Amino acid sequence: MDAHQLLALARDRTHDGRASLSHAVSNLLLDEGFVNKPVERRLILEILAQIVRNIEASVRQQLGLLLSTMEDVPAQLIRDLADDTIDIAFPILAHSPVLSDPDLLAVIRAHAAEHHSAIASRKYLGESVSDALIATGDTGVVCQLLKNHDAIIS
């Protein structure tokens, strides 16, 4: 896909247009040759950050899986995906190195047990996040946390 085709998709504000743009942008991220170009990669991630709230759930779910282990993703894009339904948020909550402790605490305050369980399974879980998960009083979440040998529990 060339720049003109991408621009045409970006100008299409319809639901189908946004889905097509998201698919095109995701495919560019998966293109090994393209990913190695930092300027283009940053541009693609910025486009995704602008459109993520307007694309269908199945596309957001694919993005969540794709972006969950990447370190150079815009924090707001990751926060938006973490704040989504659990099908979309799970890989981000469980694996994204972009999420900070304050981000995780905000998710704990805003969401229920499924989101909490995903957070409890993260590597290198900080003490404040562990404490917040315990404070939910959810037995399943606490059990998940206790199984996490990388969690710091006070």
Side-chain angles (χ1 to χ4, degrees):
M1 173 162 292
D2 67 22
H4 295 292
Q5 292 170 315
L6 197 56
L7 183 58
L9 287 175
R11 288 182 176 147
D12 184 349
R13 303 272 186 206
T14 66
H15 176 71
D16 289 343
R18 289 294 168 204
S20 296
L21 177 61
S22 179
H23 283 294
V25 168
S26 298
N27 288 337
L28 287 173
L29 272 177
L30 293 172
D31 179 350
E32 290 295 326
F34 196 85
V35 169
N36 291 328
K37 299 173 186 170
V39 173
E40 286 87 350
R41 181 182 174 90
R42 189 179 72 246
L43 180 61
I44 292 300
L45 291 169
E46 287 174 11
I47 291 169
L48 283 173
Q50 295 298 315
I51 66 171
V52 72
R53 293 180 187 159
N54 300 318
I55 55 179
E56 65 184 67
S58 63
V59 177
R60 292 193 318 273
Q61 188 173 14
Q62 291 173 336
L63 287 174
L65 287 170
L66 176 67
L67 302 177
S68 65
T69 57
M70 293 183 180
E71 294 180 6
D72 60 346
V73 181
Q76 188 58 52
L77 174 58
I78 293 299
R79 284 191 293 268
D80 287 343
L81 292 168
D83 196 40
D84 212 317
T85 63
I86 192 61
D87 292 341
I88 295 159
F90 186 88
I92 297 294
L93 294 172
H95 304 291
S96 179
V98 176
L99 289 174
S100 65
D101 283 359
D103 296 330
L104 295 170
L105 291 169
V107 171
I108 293 168
R109 285 190 299 273
H111 292 280
E114 291 176 322
H115 283 68
H116 300 165
S117 290
I119 293 170
S121 69
R122 289 177 66 85
K123 286 189 172 256
Y124 314 113
L125 202 56
E127 187 174 345
S128 64
V129 176
S130 294
D131 289 347
L133 290 170
I134 292 167
T136 67
D138 185 296
T139 307
V141 171
V142 173
C143 287
Q144 179 72 32
L145 182 63
L146 292 173
K147 292 177 188 176
N148 184 343
H149 300 291
D150 294 319
I152 300 172
I153 302 172
S154 58

